[in-house]
PDB file of all heavy atoms in Angstrom:
ATOM      1  N   LYS A   1     106.492  86.605 107.754  1.00 98.00           N
ATOM      2  CA  LYS A   1     106.408  85.364 108.516  1.00 98.00           C
ATOM      3  C   LYS A   1     107.299  84.272 107.912  1.00 98.00           C
ATOM      4  O   LYS A   1     107.260  83.126 108.338  1.00 98.00           O
ATOM      5  CB  LYS A   1     104.946  84.902 108.586  1.00 98.00           C
ATOM      6  CG  LYS A   1     104.068  85.914 109.328  1.00 98.00           C
ATOM      7  CD  LYS A   1     102.601  85.555 109.322  1.00 98.00           C
ATOM      8  CE  LYS A   1     101.793  86.660 109.997  1.00 98.00           C
ATOM      9  NZ  LYS A   1     100.365  86.388 110.001  1.00 98.00           N
ATOM     10  N   ASN A   2     108.134  84.650 106.930  1.00 98.00           N
ATOM     11  CA  ASN A   2     108.994  83.703 106.224  1.00 98.00           C
ATOM     12  C   ASN A   2     110.443  84.177 106.308  1.00 98.00           C
ATOM     13  O   ASN A   2     110.835  85.120 105.630  1.00 98.00           O
ATOM     14  CB  ASN A   2     108.534  83.602 104.765  1.00 98.00           C
ATOM     15  CG  ASN A   2     109.341  82.619 103.958  1.00 98.00           C
ATOM     16  OD1 ASN A   2     110.545  82.469 104.134  1.00 98.00           O
ATOM     17  ND2 ASN A   2     108.671  81.956 103.035  1.00 98.00           N
ATOM     18  N   ILE A   3     111.241  83.519 107.124  1.00 97.00           N
ATOM     19  CA  ILE A   3     112.609  83.976 107.383  1.00 97.00           C
ATOM     20  C   ILE A   3     113.476  83.970 106.118  1.00 97.00           C
ATOM     21  O   ILE A   3     114.264  84.897 105.899  1.00 97.00           O
ATOM     22  CB  ILE A   3     113.267  83.162 108.525  1.00 97.00           C
ATOM     23  CG1 ILE A   3     114.540  83.862 108.994  1.00 97.00           C
ATOM     24  CG2 ILE A   3     113.529  81.739 108.105  1.00 97.00           C
ATOM     25  CD1 ILE A   3     115.061  83.353 110.320  1.00 97.00           C
ATOM     26  N   MET A   4     113.338  82.978 105.278  1.00 97.00           N
ATOM     27  CA  MET A   4     114.150  82.931 104.061  1.00 97.00           C
ATOM     28  C   MET A   4     113.803  84.084 103.125  1.00 97.00           C
ATOM     29  O   MET A   4     114.688  84.699 102.523  1.00 97.00           O
ATOM     30  CB  MET A   4     113.984  81.591 103.341  1.00 97.00           C
ATOM     31  CG  MET A   4     114.618  80.435 104.088  1.00 97.00           C
ATOM     32  SD  MET A   4     116.380  80.686 104.470  1.00 97.00           S
ATOM     33  CE  MET A   4     117.094  80.764 102.848  1.00 97.00           C
ATOM     34  N   ALA A   5     112.525  84.391 103.005  1.00 98.00           N
ATOM     35  CA  ALA A   5     112.105  85.504 102.154  1.00 98.00           C
ATOM     36  C   ALA A   5     112.673  86.821 102.687  1.00 98.00           C
ATOM     37  O   ALA A   5     113.105  87.680 101.904  1.00 98.00           O
ATOM     38  CB  ALA A   5     110.584  85.568 102.082  1.00 98.00           C
ATOM     39  N   LEU A   6     112.700  86.972 104.001  1.00 98.00           N
ATOM     40  CA  LEU A   6     113.246  88.194 104.596  1.00 98.00           C
ATOM     41  C   LEU A   6     114.735  88.330 104.290  1.00 98.00           C
ATOM     42  O   LEU A   6     115.212  89.422 103.951  1.00 98.00           O
ATOM     43  CB  LEU A   6     113.024  88.199 106.109  1.00 98.00           C
ATOM     44  CG  LEU A   6     111.585  88.382 106.566  1.00 98.00           C
ATOM     45  CD1 LEU A   6     111.473  88.126 108.068  1.00 98.00           C
ATOM     46  CD2 LEU A   6     111.078  89.782 106.222  1.00 98.00           C
ATOM     47  N   LEU A   7     115.469  87.249 104.396  1.00 97.00           N
ATOM     48  CA  LEU A   7     116.905  87.299 104.117  1.00 97.00           C
ATOM     49  C   LEU A   7     117.185  87.651 102.655  1.00 97.00           C
ATOM     50  O   LEU A   7     118.165  88.329 102.351  1.00 97.00           O
ATOM     51  CB  LEU A   7     117.563  85.974 104.489  1.00 97.00           C
ATOM     52  CG  LEU A   7     117.592  85.674 105.991  1.00 97.00           C
ATOM     53  CD1 LEU A   7     118.101  84.261 106.244  1.00 97.00           C
ATOM     54  CD2 LEU A   7     118.425  86.691 106.735  1.00 97.00           C
ATOM     55  N   LEU A   8     116.301  87.237 101.759  1.00 97.00           N
ATOM     56  CA  LEU A   8     116.472  87.536 100.343  1.00 97.00           C
ATOM     57  C   LEU A   8     116.192  89.002  99.998  1.00 97.00           C
ATOM     58  O   LEU A   8     116.479  89.442  98.884  1.00 97.00           O
ATOM     59  CB  LEU A   8     115.598  86.607  99.490  1.00 97.00           C
ATOM     60  CG  LEU A   8     116.041  85.141  99.493  1.00 97.00           C
ATOM     61  CD1 LEU A   8     115.025  84.259  98.781  1.00 97.00           C
ATOM     62  CD2 LEU A   8     117.419  84.985  98.867  1.00 97.00           C
ATOM     63  N   LEU A   9     115.669  89.758 100.955  1.00 97.00           N
ATOM     64  CA  LEU A   9     115.458  91.194 100.726  1.00 97.00           C
ATOM     65  C   LEU A   9     116.787  91.940 100.583  1.00 97.00           C
ATOM     66  O   LEU A   9     116.839  92.998  99.986  1.00 97.00           O
ATOM     67  CB  LEU A   9     114.667  91.827 101.879  1.00 97.00           C
ATOM     68  CG  LEU A   9     113.183  91.562 101.931  1.00 97.00           C
ATOM     69  CD1 LEU A   9     112.587  92.194 103.185  1.00 97.00           C
ATOM     70  CD2 LEU A   9     112.487  92.085 100.693  1.00 97.00           C
ATOM     71  N   GLU A  10     117.842  91.367 101.186  1.00 94.00           N
ATOM     72  CA  GLU A  10     119.165  91.991 101.154  1.00 94.00           C
ATOM     73  C   GLU A  10     119.098  93.453 101.607  1.00 94.00           C
ATOM     74  O   GLU A  10     119.599  94.359 100.942  1.00 94.00           O
ATOM     75  CB  GLU A  10     119.776  91.890  99.761  1.00 94.00           C
ATOM     76  CG  GLU A  10     119.979  90.467  99.305  1.00 94.00           C
ATOM     77  CD  GLU A  10     120.479  90.354  97.889  1.00 94.00           C
ATOM     78  OE1 GLU A  10     120.492  91.355  97.151  1.00 94.00           O
ATOM     79  OE2 GLU A  10     120.870  89.245  97.506  1.00 94.00           O
ATOM     80  N   ALA A  11     118.491  93.685 102.762  1.00 96.00           N
ATOM     81  CA  ALA A  11     118.309  95.034 103.298  1.00 96.00           C
ATOM     82  C   ALA A  11     119.497  95.404 104.177  1.00 96.00           C
ATOM     83  O   ALA A  11     119.550  95.090 105.353  1.00 96.00           O
ATOM     84  CB  ALA A  11     117.006  95.121 104.085  1.00 96.00           C
ATOM     85  N   SER A  12     120.460  96.064 103.588  1.00 95.00           N
ATOM     86  CA  SER A  12     121.651  96.481 104.324  1.00 95.00           C
ATOM     87  C   SER A  12     121.389  97.793 105.060  1.00 95.00           C
ATOM     88  O   SER A  12     120.347  98.443 104.870  1.00 95.00           O
ATOM     89  CB  SER A  12     122.833  96.637 103.362  1.00 95.00           C
ATOM     90  OG  SER A  12     122.510  97.550 102.341  1.00 95.00           O
ATOM     91  N   GLU A  13     122.341  98.183 105.893  1.00 94.00           N
ATOM     92  CA  GLU A  13     122.225  99.425 106.652  1.00 94.00           C
ATOM     93  C   GLU A  13     121.954 100.596 105.703  1.00 94.00           C
ATOM     94  O   GLU A  13     122.563 100.712 104.649  1.00 94.00           O
ATOM     95  CB  GLU A  13     123.504  99.695 107.440  1.00 94.00           C
ATOM     96  CG  GLU A  13     123.449 100.961 108.262  1.00 94.00           C
ATOM     97  CD  GLU A  13     124.735 101.247 109.007  1.00 94.00           C
ATOM     98  OE1 GLU A  13     125.799 100.738 108.604  1.00 94.00           O
ATOM     99  OE2 GLU A  13     124.678 101.983 109.994  1.00 94.00           O
ATOM    100  N   GLY A  14     121.009 101.437 106.091  1.00 95.00           N
ATOM    101  CA  GLY A  14     120.668 102.613 105.303  1.00 95.00           C
ATOM    102  C   GLY A  14     119.522 102.411 104.333  1.00 95.00           C
ATOM    103  O   GLY A  14     118.946 103.377 103.833  1.00 95.00           O
ATOM    104  N   LYS A  15     119.162 101.157 104.049  1.00 96.00           N
ATOM    105  CA  LYS A  15     118.055 100.883 103.127  1.00 96.00           C
ATOM    106  C   LYS A  15     116.726 101.232 103.774  1.00 96.00           C
ATOM    107  O   LYS A  15     116.558 101.159 104.982  1.00 96.00           O
ATOM    108  CB  LYS A  15     118.033  99.404 102.721  1.00 96.00           C
ATOM    109  CG  LYS A  15     119.218  98.962 101.934  1.00 96.00           C
ATOM    110  CD  LYS A  15     119.179  99.519 100.537  1.00 96.00           C
ATOM    111  CE  LYS A  15     120.347  98.968  99.733  1.00 96.00           C
ATOM    112  NZ  LYS A  15     120.312  99.414  98.359  1.00 96.00           N
ATOM    113  N   LEU A  16     115.775 101.610 102.939  1.00 97.00           N
ATOM    114  CA  LEU A  16     114.420 101.876 103.407  1.00 97.00           C
ATOM    115  C   LEU A  16     113.575 100.624 103.232  1.00 97.00           C
ATOM    116  O   LEU A  16     113.539 100.047 102.141  1.00 97.00           O
ATOM    117  CB  LEU A  16     113.789 103.026 102.624  1.00 97.00           C
ATOM    118  CG  LEU A  16     114.368 104.404 102.886  1.00 97.00           C
ATOM    119  CD1 LEU A  16     113.746 105.426 101.939  1.00 97.00           C
ATOM    120  CD2 LEU A  16     114.133 104.820 104.327  1.00 97.00           C
ATOM    121  N   LEU A  17     112.928 100.191 104.299  1.00 97.00           N
ATOM    122  CA  LEU A  17     111.995  99.072 104.246  1.00 97.00           C
ATOM    123  C   LEU A  17     110.584  99.613 104.370  1.00 97.00           C
ATOM    124  O   LEU A  17     110.296 100.396 105.283  1.00 97.00           O
ATOM    125  CB  LEU A  17     112.251  98.087 105.388  1.00 97.00           C
ATOM    126  CG  LEU A  17     113.477  97.200 105.302  1.00 97.00           C
ATOM    127  CD1 LEU A  17     113.576  96.326 106.546  1.00 97.00           C
ATOM    128  CD2 LEU A  17     113.447  96.348 104.056  1.00 97.00           C
ATOM    129  N   THR A  18     109.726  99.213 103.468  1.00 98.00           N
ATOM    130  CA  THR A  18     108.313  99.579 103.551  1.00 98.00           C
ATOM    131  C   THR A  18     107.569  98.395 104.138  1.00 98.00           C
ATOM    132  O   THR A  18     107.721  97.264 103.668  1.00 98.00           O
ATOM    133  CB  THR A  18     107.746  99.930 102.171  1.00 98.00           C
ATOM    134  OG1 THR A  18     108.491 101.029 101.639  1.00 98.00           O
ATOM    135  CG2 THR A  18     106.279 100.312 102.259  1.00 98.00           C
ATOM    136  N   VAL A  19     106.789  98.655 105.167  1.00 98.00           N
ATOM    137  CA  VAL A  19     105.979  97.620 105.803  1.00 98.00           C
ATOM    138  C   VAL A  19     104.541  97.806 105.340  1.00 98.00           C
ATOM    139  O   VAL A  19     103.996  98.907 105.413  1.00 98.00           O
ATOM    140  CB  VAL A  19     106.060  97.718 107.347  1.00 98.00           C
ATOM    141  CG1 VAL A  19     105.195  96.639 107.993  1.00 98.00           C
ATOM    142  CG2 VAL A  19     107.498  97.613 107.814  1.00 98.00           C
ATOM    143  N   CYS A  20     103.939  96.719 104.840  1.00 98.00           N
ATOM    144  CA  CYS A  20     102.547  96.724 104.387  1.00 98.00           C
ATOM    145  C   CYS A  20     101.780  95.708 105.226  1.00 98.00           C
ATOM    146  O   CYS A  20     102.184  94.544 105.285  1.00 98.00           O
ATOM    147  CB  CYS A  20     102.449  96.321 102.926  1.00 98.00           C
ATOM    148  SG  CYS A  20     103.474  97.278 101.829  1.00 98.00           S
ATOM    149  N   THR A  21     100.713  96.146 105.845  1.00 98.00           N
ATOM    150  CA  THR A  21      99.899  95.231 106.648  1.00 98.00           C
ATOM    151  C   THR A  21      98.468  95.245 106.120  1.00 98.00           C
ATOM    152  O   THR A  21      97.984  96.263 105.630  1.00 98.00           O
ATOM    153  CB  THR A  21      99.901  95.633 108.138  1.00 98.00           C
ATOM    154  OG1 THR A  21      99.415  96.970 108.274  1.00 98.00           O
ATOM    155  CG2 THR A  21     101.296  95.542 108.730  1.00 98.00           C
ATOM    156  N   ASN A  22      97.802  94.110 106.249  1.00 98.00           N
ATOM    157  CA  ASN A  22      96.426  94.014 105.793  1.00 98.00           C
ATOM    158  C   ASN A  22      95.704  92.965 106.628  1.00 98.00           C
ATOM    159  O   ASN A  22      96.137  91.811 106.671  1.00 98.00           O
ATOM    160  CB  ASN A  22      96.390  93.633 104.307  1.00 98.00           C
ATOM    161  CG  ASN A  22      95.004  93.760 103.722  1.00 98.00           C
ATOM    162  OD1 ASN A  22      94.134  94.410 104.283  1.00 98.00           O
ATOM    163  ND2 ASN A  22      94.792  93.121 102.585  1.00 98.00           N
ATOM    164  N   GLY A  23      94.639  93.385 107.308  1.00 97.00           N
ATOM    165  CA  GLY A  23      93.863  92.445 108.110  1.00 97.00           C
ATOM    166  C   GLY A  23      93.255  93.103 109.331  1.00 97.00           C
ATOM    167  O   GLY A  23      93.312  94.315 109.506  1.00 97.00           O
ATOM    168  N   VAL A  24      92.710  92.268 110.200  1.00 98.00           N
ATOM    169  CA  VAL A  24      91.953  92.759 111.348  1.00 98.00           C
ATOM    170  C   VAL A  24      92.796  93.537 112.350  1.00 98.00           C
ATOM    171  O   VAL A  24      92.293  94.441 113.008  1.00 98.00           O
ATOM    172  CB  VAL A  24      91.203  91.610 112.071  1.00 98.00           C
ATOM    173  CG1 VAL A  24      90.144  91.010 111.173  1.00 98.00           C
ATOM    174  CG2 VAL A  24      92.162  90.544 112.557  1.00 98.00           C
ATOM    175  N   ASP A  25      94.062  93.198 112.488  1.00 98.00           N
ATOM    176  CA  ASP A  25      94.932  93.883 113.449  1.00 98.00           C
ATOM    177  C   ASP A  25      96.068  94.628 112.739  1.00 98.00           C
ATOM    178  O   ASP A  25      97.151  94.791 113.267  1.00 98.00           O
ATOM    179  CB  ASP A  25      95.475  92.912 114.488  1.00 98.00           C
ATOM    180  CG  ASP A  25      96.100  91.662 113.890  1.00 98.00           C
ATOM    181  OD1 ASP A  25      96.185  91.559 112.640  1.00 98.00           O
ATOM    182  OD2 ASP A  25      96.512  90.775 114.657  1.00 98.00           O
ATOM    183  N   GLU A  26      95.782  95.116 111.521  1.00 98.00           N
ATOM    184  CA  GLU A  26      96.810  95.748 110.688  1.00 98.00           C
ATOM    185  C   GLU A  26      97.442  96.987 111.306  1.00 98.00           C
ATOM    186  O   GLU A  26      98.635  97.219 111.156  1.00 98.00           O
ATOM    187  CB  GLU A  26      96.254  96.083 109.297  1.00 98.00           C
ATOM    188  CG  GLU A  26      95.158  97.105 109.293  1.00 98.00           C
ATOM    189  CD  GLU A  26      94.526  97.304 107.924  1.00 98.00           C
ATOM    190  OE1 GLU A  26      94.634  96.437 107.046  1.00 98.00           O
ATOM    191  OE2 GLU A  26      93.889  98.363 107.750  1.00 98.00           O
ATOM    192  N   THR A  27      96.661  97.781 112.019  1.00 98.00           N
ATOM    193  CA  THR A  27      97.202  99.014 112.602  1.00 98.00           C
ATOM    194  C   THR A  27      98.238  98.692 113.673  1.00 98.00           C
ATOM    195  O   THR A  27      99.332  99.267 113.682  1.00 98.00           O
ATOM    196  CB  THR A  27      96.069  99.879 113.178  1.00 98.00           C
ATOM    197  OG1 THR A  27      95.146 100.180 112.118  1.00 98.00           O
ATOM    198  CG2 THR A  27      96.598 101.169 113.759  1.00 98.00           C
ATOM    199  N   GLN A  28      97.912  97.774 114.560  1.00 98.00           N
ATOM    200  CA  GLN A  28      98.852  97.391 115.612  1.00 98.00           C
ATOM    201  C   GLN A  28     100.061  96.671 115.023  1.00 98.00           C
ATOM    202  O   GLN A  28     101.198  96.901 115.432  1.00 98.00           O
ATOM    203  CB  GLN A  28      98.172  96.507 116.650  1.00 98.00           C
ATOM    204  CG  GLN A  28      99.103  96.143 117.797  1.00 98.00           C
ATOM    205  CD  GLN A  28      98.468  95.234 118.832  1.00 98.00           C
ATOM    206  OE1 GLN A  28      97.320  94.833 118.704  1.00 98.00           O
ATOM    207  NE2 GLN A  28      99.221  94.899 119.858  1.00 98.00           N
ATOM    208  N   ALA A  29      99.834  95.816 114.040  1.00 98.00           N
ATOM    209  CA  ALA A  29     100.935  95.094 113.394  1.00 98.00           C
ATOM    210  C   ALA A  29     101.900  96.077 112.741  1.00 98.00           C
ATOM    211  O   ALA A  29     103.123  95.936 112.877  1.00 98.00           O
ATOM    212  CB  ALA A  29     100.388  94.116 112.358  1.00 98.00           C
ATOM    213  N   LEU A  30     101.377  97.076 112.059  1.00 98.00           N
ATOM    214  CA  LEU A  30     102.222  98.070 111.406  1.00 98.00           C
ATOM    215  C   LEU A  30     103.036  98.850 112.428  1.00 98.00           C
ATOM    216  O   LEU A  30     104.251  98.999 112.290  1.00 98.00           O
ATOM    217  CB  LEU A  30     101.368  99.032 110.573  1.00 98.00           C
ATOM    218  CG  LEU A  30     102.137 100.132 109.856  1.00 98.00           C
ATOM    219  CD1 LEU A  30     103.034  99.553 108.771  1.00 98.00           C
ATOM    220  CD2 LEU A  30     101.191 101.149 109.271  1.00 98.00           C
ATOM    221  N   ALA A  31     102.374  99.310 113.478  1.00 98.00           N
ATOM    222  CA  ALA A  31     103.061 100.101 114.505  1.00 98.00           C
ATOM    223  C   ALA A  31     104.192  99.299 115.165  1.00 98.00           C
ATOM    224  O   ALA A  31     105.306  99.805 115.350  1.00 98.00           O
ATOM    225  CB  ALA A  31     102.063 100.573 115.560  1.00 98.00           C
ATOM    226  N   GLU A  32     103.928  98.049 115.495  1.00 97.00           N
ATOM    227  CA  GLU A  32     104.939  97.241 116.177  1.00 97.00           C
ATOM    228  C   GLU A  32     106.089  96.847 115.248  1.00 97.00           C
ATOM    229  O   GLU A  32     107.242  96.820 115.662  1.00 97.00           O
ATOM    230  CB  GLU A  32     104.297  96.026 116.829  1.00 97.00           C
ATOM    231  CG  GLU A  32     103.418  96.446 118.008  1.00 97.00           C
ATOM    232  CD  GLU A  32     103.039  95.308 118.921  1.00 97.00           C
ATOM    233  OE1 GLU A  32     103.819  94.340 119.047  1.00 97.00           O
ATOM    234  OE2 GLU A  32     101.954  95.388 119.514  1.00 97.00           O
ATOM    235  N   MET A  33     105.776  96.576 113.987  1.00 97.00           N
ATOM    236  CA  MET A  33     106.839  96.207 113.045  1.00 97.00           C
ATOM    237  C   MET A  33     107.735  97.409 112.741  1.00 97.00           C
ATOM    238  O   MET A  33     108.965  97.279 112.727  1.00 97.00           O
ATOM    239  CB  MET A  33     106.218  95.659 111.755  1.00 97.00           C
ATOM    240  CG  MET A  33     107.188  94.959 110.865  1.00 97.00           C
ATOM    241  SD  MET A  33     108.010  93.497 111.575  1.00 97.00           S
ATOM    242  CE  MET A  33     106.641  92.397 111.854  1.00 97.00           C
ATOM    243  N   ILE A  34     107.160  98.567 112.539  1.00 97.00           N
ATOM    244  CA  ILE A  34     107.945  99.786 112.321  1.00 97.00           C
ATOM    245  C   ILE A  34     108.785 100.078 113.565  1.00 97.00           C
ATOM    246  O   ILE A  34     109.964 100.411 113.469  1.00 97.00           O
ATOM    247  CB  ILE A  34     107.045 100.988 111.962  1.00 97.00           C
ATOM    248  CG1 ILE A  34     106.455 100.808 110.555  1.00 97.00           C
ATOM    249  CG2 ILE A  34     107.801 102.306 112.074  1.00 97.00           C
ATOM    250  CD1 ILE A  34     107.458 100.894 109.420  1.00 97.00           C
ATOM    251  N   GLY A  35     108.189  99.931 114.736  1.00 96.00           N
ATOM    252  CA  GLY A  35     108.926 100.138 115.988  1.00 96.00           C
ATOM    253  C   GLY A  35     110.118  99.207 116.102  1.00 96.00           C
ATOM    254  O   GLY A  35     111.199  99.622 116.533  1.00 96.00           O
ATOM    255  N   LEU A  36     109.950  97.953 115.695  1.00 96.00           N
ATOM    256  CA  LEU A  36     111.040  96.984 115.759  1.00 96.00           C
ATOM    257  C   LEU A  36     112.185  97.378 114.819  1.00 96.00           C
ATOM    258  O   LEU A  36     113.353  97.340 115.207  1.00 96.00           O
ATOM    259  CB  LEU A  36     110.526  95.587 115.392  1.00 96.00           C
ATOM    260  CG  LEU A  36     111.568  94.467 115.436  1.00 96.00           C
ATOM    261  CD1 LEU A  36     112.092  94.266 116.854  1.00 96.00           C
ATOM    262  CD2 LEU A  36     110.977  93.181 114.892  1.00 96.00           C
ATOM    263  N   ILE A  37     111.849  97.794 113.619  1.00 96.00           N
ATOM    264  CA  ILE A  37     112.883  98.208 112.660  1.00 96.00           C
ATOM    265  C   ILE A  37     113.612  99.440 113.178  1.00 96.00           C
ATOM    266  O   ILE A  37     114.845  99.501 113.163  1.00 96.00           O
ATOM    267  CB  ILE A  37     112.266  98.472 111.274  1.00 96.00           C
ATOM    268  CG1 ILE A  37     111.696  97.182 110.695  1.00 96.00           C
ATOM    269  CG2 ILE A  37     113.307  99.087 110.328  1.00 96.00           C
ATOM    270  CD1 ILE A  37     110.802  97.378 109.486  1.00 96.00           C
ATOM    271  N   GLU A  38     112.856 100.412 113.665  1.00 94.00           N
ATOM    272  CA  GLU A  38     113.463 101.651 114.171  1.00 94.00           C
ATOM    273  C   GLU A  38     114.265 101.425 115.449  1.00 94.00           C
ATOM    274  O   GLU A  38     115.152 102.201 115.768  1.00 94.00           O
ATOM    275  CB  GLU A  38     112.383 102.707 114.396  1.00 94.00           C
ATOM    276  CG  GLU A  38     111.793 103.214 113.085  1.00 94.00           C
ATOM    277  CD  GLU A  38     110.661 104.203 113.276  1.00 94.00           C
ATOM    278  OE1 GLU A  38     110.081 104.278 114.401  1.00 94.00           O
ATOM    279  OE2 GLU A  38     110.334 104.899 112.299  1.00 94.00           O
ATOM    280  N   ASP A  39     113.953 100.341 116.170  1.00 93.00           N
ATOM    281  CA  ASP A  39     114.660 100.001 117.406  1.00 93.00           C
ATOM    282  C   ASP A  39     115.820  99.038 117.131  1.00 93.00           C
ATOM    283  O   ASP A  39     116.201  98.258 117.998  1.00 93.00           O
ATOM    284  CB  ASP A  39     113.672  99.390 118.411  1.00 93.00           C
ATOM    285  CG  ASP A  39     114.285  99.197 119.783  1.00 93.00           C
ATOM    286  OD1 ASP A  39     115.071 100.032 120.227  1.00 93.00           O
ATOM    287  OD2 ASP A  39     113.970  98.161 120.417  1.00 93.00           O
ATOM    288  N   ASN A  40     116.359  99.090 115.913  1.00 91.00           N
ATOM    289  CA  ASN A  40     117.528  98.283 115.574  1.00 91.00           C
ATOM    290  C   ASN A  40     117.256  96.788 115.717  1.00 91.00           C
ATOM    291  O   ASN A  40     118.108  96.014 116.129  1.00 91.00           O
ATOM    292  CB  ASN A  40     118.711  98.705 116.444  1.00 91.00           C
ATOM    293  CG  ASN A  40     120.042  98.454 115.804  1.00 91.00           C
ATOM    294  OD1 ASN A  40     120.163  98.477 114.591  1.00 91.00           O
ATOM    295  ND2 ASN A  40     121.051  98.209 116.624  1.00 91.00           N
ATOM    296  N   PHE A  41     116.001  96.381 115.402  1.00 92.00           N
ATOM    297  CA  PHE A  41     115.563  94.982 115.490  1.00 92.00           C
ATOM    298  C   PHE A  41     115.658  94.427 116.895  1.00 92.00           C
ATOM    299  O   PHE A  41     115.847  93.227 117.097  1.00 92.00           O
ATOM    300  CB  PHE A  41     116.346  94.094 114.514  1.00 92.00           C
ATOM    301  CG  PHE A  41     116.248  94.546 113.079  1.00 92.00           C
ATOM    302  CD1 PHE A  41     117.377  94.994 112.413  1.00 92.00           C
ATOM    303  CD2 PHE A  41     115.039  94.527 112.413  1.00 92.00           C
ATOM    304  CE1 PHE A  41     117.298  95.415 111.094  1.00 92.00           C
ATOM    305  CE2 PHE A  41     114.956  94.946 111.093  1.00 92.00           C
ATOM    306  CZ  PHE A  41     116.086  95.394 110.433  1.00 92.00           C
ATOM    307  N   GLY A  42     115.573  95.305 117.899  1.00 86.00           N
ATOM    308  CA  GLY A  42     115.614  94.869 119.289  1.00 86.00           C
ATOM    309  C   GLY A  42     117.011  94.575 119.799  1.00 86.00           C
ATOM    310  O   GLY A  42     117.175  94.083 120.904  1.00 86.00           O
ATOM    311  N   GLU A  43     118.030  94.864 119.000  1.00 84.00           N
ATOM    312  CA  GLU A  43     119.407  94.629 119.409  1.00 84.00           C
ATOM    313  C   GLU A  43     119.955  95.895 120.038  1.00 84.00           C
ATOM    314  O   GLU A  43     119.902  96.964 119.441  1.00 84.00           O
ATOM    315  CB  GLU A  43     120.260  94.231 118.209  1.00 84.00           C
ATOM    316  CG  GLU A  43     119.799  92.928 117.586  1.00 84.00           C
ATOM    317  CD  GLU A  43     120.590  92.540 116.353  1.00 84.00           C
ATOM    318  OE1 GLU A  43     121.592  93.204 116.044  1.00 84.00           O
ATOM    319  OE2 GLU A  43     120.192  91.569 115.698  1.00 84.00           O
ATOM    320  N   THR A  44     120.467  95.768 121.258  1.00 70.00           N
ATOM    321  CA  THR A  44     120.985  96.952 121.945  1.00 70.00           C
ATOM    322  C   THR A  44     122.282  97.447 121.321  1.00 70.00           C
ATOM    323  O   THR A  44     122.548  98.621 121.290  1.00 70.00           O
ATOM    324  CB  THR A  44     121.198  96.676 123.452  1.00 70.00           C
ATOM    325  OG1 THR A  44     122.036  95.532 123.585  1.00 70.00           O
ATOM    326  CG2 THR A  44     119.879  96.458 124.145  1.00 70.00           C
TER     327      THR A  44
END
């Protein structure tokens, strides 16, 4: 939820990102976030 923190990850093409979710809607949050990464961040 922090754009600056995300940019500091320096995740270039080919890097593996691990998504960790914790809370009441963690399963859906994990599925949608992984889907977004695998879908090229929604960029066609």
